[in-house]
Every structure is written in C-alpha cells, then in structure tokens.
Amino acid sequence: MRSHPRLPHRSRHLGTVLAAAATAVLLLLTGCTAASSPDPGADLGGYLGQKLDWVACKDTATSPADAKLFANPALECASVEVPLDYDEPEGERAQIALTRLSATGGAEGSLLVNPGGPGGSGTSLIASTLPLWQASPVAKRFDIVGFDPRGIGSSTPALDCYTDKEYDTGDVPRFGAVYDITSAEQAVELAERCADGSGGIANLVNAGSTSVVRDMDIIREVLGDDKLNYLGYSYGSELGAMYATTFPEKVRAIVLDGAVSPALTASGFRVSQFAGLQARFDDLAALCAESPDCVLGPDPAAANDRLHEIVQPLVEAPAATADGRYLSVWDVYLGISGGLYSEARWPVHISALTALDAGRADEMLALRDTFYGRTADGAYSLDFDTNIAVRCMDSPRRTPEEQTALAREIGKVAPMFDLDTFTAGSYHSECEAWPAPPTRGEPWLADVESLPETLVVSVTGDPATPHEGGIAMAQALDGSLLTVDGKQHGAYLLGGSECVDDVVDAYLLDLESPPTGARCSL
C-alpha cells in the first residue's frame, strides 16, 4: 500500500536486490527479556558519514494526493541509507525517507518525529500538520524531521502483503477482536503473501522495532546531532523508550505522547486497548442518550446490545455504498474504533451510526476510510501490512489456544465487540507462520540505570494507550509525567491545549521538566 512520494535515487523494484536473501532466515535469540544491545564491533562508518541530498518534496510526488500534501515549498525530502540487516552491514541496504521543516532561526539541532502505528508515516505527519509546526516555538530553534520507518511510506524496500484494491474489497485478513485467521493454512498464506510482496524474507524479518531503533541512531548522526531530540506518539513511544535504553548516552530530549505500557505483554496490552475503547464507547453512548432520538437508545447500559442490532444485517451481507464499494461489519468496527480516538469527533460517529441504522452506509465507510488514511484516489496511508510485519517481529507468538482465549477475553472486557463473528471461533495468530522468530522478548524494555530525563504525556481517557500505561512508562524510565485530563489519543500540538504545548515546549527547548503531579486538560 503506497501513496507517498518516491524520493530520489531509489527503486521500488527490489526483487533482484533481495533475491539472494529470499531464503535467508535470521537466527535470532528468543525468550530474551528485552531488545539486545547493538554490536559495538559492527562497522557502520560508511553509513554514519553519508551526506543528505535535500530536495523539494513537491518534485518527488507520484500521485495527485502526494502532490497536494507535499506542495508547500517549506518542506524538503531526503533519504538515509541503513543496513537491511545489521548483522551484515556490508550487505543489502534500505532507504529511510525523511521530510524536513527547517528551523526559522539558527538551527540548534533536529527534532525527530514518529506518529506511531506501527505503520504510520512520519513524513506525512509533518506535511499534514505543517501549519501547527510552523506556529510552534520549537520549529524556530530545531529542524522538524519526520521519518518513515523501514517498509512504510516512501521508505524502501516496501513492505506489502496486499494491494490497495484488496483493502477496498476486503480481500485481506479482517480484524475484529483478533484477525479472522482460523487455520494454519491461512497463517501460512499470509506469511507467504507478505514475503512475496515485500521482495523476500530478508526484508520482512528485518522490519522489527530493534532495527528501527538502530536506524534512528544513524539518522541522528547523519542529521549532525550529537544527541537525539525525539517526539514519539503511541507506538512511537516504544521506539523512543527503546532508544533511550539502548543509547542512553546519545539522548538529549525524548517526549513520549500516548505511551504504551512496558509492563504489559503484547496480549495484555491488546486487552487494555479494547477495555479503553469500551470505556469511551460507554461515554459516547451516554452523550448520545442526552438526545431524545439517540440511535443507541435512551439507556447507555443497553448500548452494546443496540449496537449489535444495528450491525447485525452486515453480519449477513455487506451494505452497498454510493461509490460502488461495500461496507462490512469489520469495516464498521474499524470506523467505530477510529471515531472513539477523539471526543471532538463523537458527534460525527453518532451521525454515522444513525445513518447506518437507516440503511445508509456511506458515512460509516468514510469513518472506516479515515481510520485507514484512505485518500480520494484510493491509496492507503496507514500501512497495516507493515503493522503486521513489525508486530510479528516484536512479540512472542501466541498458540491457537492462546489466540482463541485472547478473543474470548476481549469479548468480556469490551462487550461492544462480543459478536460471534469476532469472538466465537477458533483462531490462529497472524504471526504463526512468520519466517523468523521475534527480535524482542517480554518485557520489551531494558532496565537501564541513570537514564537522561524523559517526558511522558498521558491522557486520562486515552482509548488506545490507556493512562495506566503512561504512568508505567514514566516509572520505567524514571522520567517526568504530564497527566492530561481528556478523552482522546495523544495531546501535544494536535490536542489544542496551550497548557500541554507549553509544558512540552519548555522541555524540548530548555530541558525544563514539569514538577511532580503536573496536570493539564484538553
């Protein structure tokens, strides 16, 4: 799935490049307690000394959507070479895409930004939020640099399992409580599709967060920064925390907004996310019930059952929409989940449910498209193929018994999802047939003494990365915590809170950490 501009001096056709590695499988340790430390003997000199060729991003656009998104002349694009496999730095190379907004004053360094995912494009985040950055005091003193982690957006080799058209038609593994993979054969098919579409096994199995963290260190060096300044949202908090514990001596400032709990297993985190979504759906149902014609009914306690009534026809057959596409029950729940990420969008969410109940599916399909970042020309900017690839290399594999039990538990903590379609089957992990073991263990964050001061920003009603995770992250890093009262995913710059922005700006600019117990609201 690709919709971002191709950067200069790169080829998307990497089958030849990776053919020799197609049968190679990384021999990696499993069951470790955290990501292993980089090999100090690895020769990365050729990578650390490269010079960036910054060009106008508008000159690299390959689609109308890209041309519009990256049209502002203030944006520059470049790419950084990194080893495809850090165990073989002299072997094949990957290209990491960068987008830069140069500091308006004398640049004191760079702020590297990741939007989360896995699968989010940092280059697109900077481009789509450019006015906010241009008004930020941080952009006066620091270059703002977004990057596309390996396999995502404009970075190459690309990680592709399915085409945009297949995502449109639903001919992909569908996600409800877990992926609807119900046999070992389906798991094998997924792994083979991803290996074939991604140019070979070597690309696929080097996609994990441990590789991305090492890429970040090369990016830091090539940008000319002695120490890293970093802002990571959501999953980006995992990357920032891993960098801090892997390269503590190379950290100046790290902000983790919407932090993932390092204290939870992958399954435990998944359950906590669904519990968070349920809590926000309960809030939405209460808001809706204030209206006499609420589509979810007058009793918020009965909203889950009412939701099931609304979507039941789609369990039987998808609904047609005006543009010729169809809305499935899986699409509805993706749209609902995305709609719960921000309290400000709940009225849009209620309107879409009302229309769906009346037999009109277009508004809910639009919510589903927003969740995926689908553009008007049918391109998908949120890369779920890469999301699967990264998670398969980051987390221990669940057995079919464990995967099935996880689906059942999600149905209990989030009854809005407790449809037989989502929770009543026997399930296999999407990673079951992955061609290499994970490169991270559990817990995934190393225990390192005397870390530099970091800042965690955590919203009390965050539906995707619950507040308890932010508390756990701040404790694990022995860093500062800014608690933000509100109901949305993420807060800094994008949340409209001057209080939050002031606290984070003071930390990024002058390393001023907030006092213990600091609190803002949205």
Side-chain angles (χ1 to χ4, degrees):
M1 303 187 299
R2 290 294 172 268
S3 64
H4 305 305
R6 304 273 72 77
L7 300 183
H9 314 305
R10 290 183 288 166
S11 169
R12 278 179 59 84
H13 304 290
L14 295 166
T16 301
V17 174
L18 291 178
T23 58
V25 176
L26 292 180
L27 300 178
L28 299 161
L29 295 176
T30 58
C32 54
T33 58
S36 57
S37 298
D39 175 11
D43 183 10
L44 300 177
Y47 297 96
L48 301 178
Q50 62 187 294
K51 302 298 181 183
L52 294 177
D53 180 19
W54 292 102
V55 299
C57 294
K58 63 183 179 63
D59 295 336
T60 69
T62 57
S63 73
D66 288 343
K68 182 178 181 180
L69 182 61
F70 290 89
N72 195 303
L75 294 174
E76 298 173 289
C77 287
S79 61
V80 174
E81 282 194 336
V82 298
L84 182 64
D85 180 350
Y86 277 94
D87 287 339
E88 298 180 4
E90 300 302 320
E92 304 297 341
R93 299 186 174 199
Q95 305 278 344
I96 307 302
L98 307 177
T99 291
R100 177 177 71 178
L101 171 66
S102 294
T104 54
E108 300 176 19
S110 307
L111 175 65
L112 192 64
V113 182
N114 179 272
S121 164
T123 62
S124 292
L125 176 69
I126 300 305
S128 62
T129 57
L130 186 60
L132 297 176
W133 286 111
Q134 289 175 315
S136 168
V138 176
K140 294 180 180 179
R141 290 169 48 184
F142 291 89
D143 295 337
I144 309 301
V145 179
F147 76 105
D148 292 346
R150 49 177 66 202
I152 295 170
S154 293
S155 291
T156 59
L159 290 174
D160 280 317
C161 308
Y162 298 91
T163 66
D164 289 339
K165 184 64 176 177
E166 287 173 313
Y167 271 87
D168 266 358
T169 58
D171 294 323
V172 299
R174 298 166 297 187
F175 188 80
V178 295
Y179 281 100
D180 67 330
I181 296 173
T182 58
S183 70
E185 290 76 16
Q186 286 180 304
V188 169
E189 180 185 1
L190 172 61
E192 290 177 346
R193 283 285 305 254
C194 292
D196 291 345
S198 301
I201 291 175
N203 181 25
L204 196 63
V205 302
N206 282 290
S209 297
T210 54
S211 295
V212 177
V213 167
R214 298 194 68 178
D215 295 344
M216 289 165 56
D217 195 52
I218 290 180
I219 294 171
R220 174 200 58 77
E221 182 72 25
V222 172
L223 289 173
D225 295 336
D226 292 333
K227 295 190 175 184
L228 180 73
N229 301 291
Y230 176 79
L231 167 64
Y233 294 96
S234 195
Y235 159 74
S237 70
E238 294 184 38
L239 297 176
M242 289 173 65
Y243 188 95
T245 57
T246 305
F247 302 104
E249 74 284 358
K250 297 179 181 178
V251 171
R252 177 186 174 272
I254 288 182
V255 178
L256 309 178
D257 190 348
V260 175
S261 174
L264 295 176
T265 64
S267 295
F269 176 60
R270 181 72 63 83
V271 170
S272 76
Q273 286 186 302
F274 278 91
L277 288 170
Q278 181 66 55
R280 299 293 75 77
F281 182 74
D282 293 346
D283 291 338
L284 179 143
L287 173 67
C288 182
E290 295 175 2
S291 171
D293 57 351
C294 171
V295 66
L296 293 173
D299 181 8
N304 296 315
D305 292 337
R306 177 69 184 117
L307 175 63
H308 296 167
E309 292 177 3
I310 295 170
V311 303
Q312 185 58 41
L314 300 181
V315 173
E316 307 300 329
T321 64
D323 70 353
R325 290 190 291 147
Y326 288 84
L327 180 79
S328 72
V329 67
W330 287 274
D331 293 328
V332 171
Y333 273 81
L334 287 175
I336 289 173
S337 297
L340 293 173
Y341 274 37
S342 173
E343 185 176 14
R345 289 187 55 79
W346 290 358
V348 176
H349 186 293
I350 293 170
S351 175
L353 281 172
T354 302
L356 184 63
D357 188 44
R360 301 187 304 274
D362 294 84
E363 287 185 46
M364 186 59 73
L365 185 65
L367 282 178
R368 174 263 187 202
D369 287 350
T370 299
F371 181 87
Y372 272 123
R374 184 186 186 275
T375 61
D377 60 358
Y380 285 70
S381 61
L382 181 58
D383 197 331
F384 265 63
D385 294 347
T386 302
N387 184 285
I388 292 174
V390 173
R391 289 308 190 193
C392 286
M393 293 309 299
D394 276 4
S395 303
R397 311 285 152 78
R398 286 185 287 271
T399 65
E401 294 76 16
E402 291 169 334
Q403 188 79 344
T404 299
L406 175 60
R408 304 284 196 274
E409 186 174 3
I410 287 171
K412 292 178 181 177
V413 302
M416 62 180 286
F417 286 87
D418 195 17
L419 294 172
D420 286 351
T421 304
F422 295 157
T423 63
S426 296
Y427 302 100
H428 290 246
S429 168
E430 64 273 19
C431 305
E432 181 177 281
W434 220 247
T439 55
R440 272 192 346 182
E442 292 179 342
W444 52 264
L445 188 62
D447 185 9
V448 177
E449 299 286 338
S450 302
L451 291 174
E453 182 74 5
T454 55
L455 174 61
V456 173
V457 180
S458 182
V459 180
T460 55
D462 190 324
T465 51
H467 181 51
E468 294 78 8
I471 296 172
M473 179 68 84
Q475 291 174 341
L477 297 177
D478 195 22
S480 297
L481 173 66
L482 175 62
T483 296
V484 183
D485 293 310
K487 296 175 182 178
Q488 72 176 34
H489 184 42
Y492 175 61
L493 199 67
L494 312 177
S497 170
E498 184 176 347
C499 173
V500 172
D501 293 351
D502 286 348
V503 171
V504 177
D505 289 346
Y507 169 73
L508 287 173
L509 291 170
D510 301 313
L511 299 181
E512 295 180 5
S513 296
T516 300
R519 208 169 189 104
C520 292
S521 61
L522 296 176

